[in-house]
Each structure stands twice: as structure tokens, then as C-alpha cells.
Amino acid sequence: MFRIIVLIAGLVILAGGVVLILLHATTIGIELAFIGLVVSAGMVFERARYQRKLRAGDLAGFEKTNEDFIDPATGKVTETWYNARSGERRYVPTDRDPV
């Protein structure tokens, strides 16, 4: 929900910048349009950046923990994998049915 609100705010700022450019307030219009474009593009592309799929090779050096949980966003059982060397944790969705 927050992502949608920020995207809408970015689009409103972008539209405001375009209106100011059309009204010959060029400097502030360009600045607002640029800020709106950056915020909107960030919201559109960040989802693709952080929603990448894990492949089998991505878990090299990781060990499975006993911390399985049901992801509230997907409703899938998710396994927790831990890399003792770096301290990184990865969460991998499974095909198991929730109990």
C-alpha cells in the first residue's frame, strides 16, 4: 500500500512539474518533473530489483535452519537459510502446504 501511495505522489509531482513548465515557470518545473520522475521510476523498478528468484546455485555456502514460517504475503511455507560466514539470511518459498 505504501508503495502505491509513493508512486501516486511521484506521478502528481511529475504532473505538477509539467504544468509549471507549460506555464513558463521552467526552472522549478524541470526540478519538480525530475524529482517526480525519479520517485515514480524508483517505485516501478525497485520491485523488480528486490523480487528476484533464488536459483539452486544461490544457496551455495548456506545451511537450512529450523525456522520455517508462512509468508503472509504469499501464504506459502518459507524456509530460512543461513550463511555462517557472512551472517546473511535468505528466505526461500517452498511448495509445501501450510499445516
Side-chain angles (χ1 to χ4, degrees):
M1 183 68 179
F2 179 72
R3 190 174 289 123
I4 293 172
I5 292 170
V6 173
L7 176 62
I8 291 171
L11 292 173
V12 168
I13 293 169
L14 175 63
V18 170
V19 167
L20 286 174
I21 290 170
L22 294 174
L23 295 174
H24 303 291
T26 310
T27 305
I28 190 70
I30 290 173
E31 291 173 3
L32 277 178
F34 179 75
I35 291 170
L37 183 65
V38 168
V39 169
S40 300
M43 286 296 100
V44 169
F45 292 113
E46 72 88 30
R47 181 157 230 155
R49 168 75 172 101
Y50 291 107
Q51 295 279 330
R52 69 182 184 88
K53 302 288 183 200
L54 290 176
R55 296 182 297 272
D58 290 342
L59 295 174
F62 284 79
E63 54 190 60
K64 187 179 176 321
T65 68
N66 293 328
E67 302 172 34
D68 294 352
F69 62 94
I70 298 173
D71 184 358
T74 63
K76 293 186 176 184
V77 175
T78 303
E79 297 176 342
T80 303
W81 291 72
Y82 177 70
N83 185 325
R85 188 171 187 195
S86 67
E88 181 182 358
R89 299 169 85 75
R90 292 196 180 166
Y91 305 100
V92 182
T94 66
D95 292 331
R96 290 184 300 172
D97 290 327
V99 178

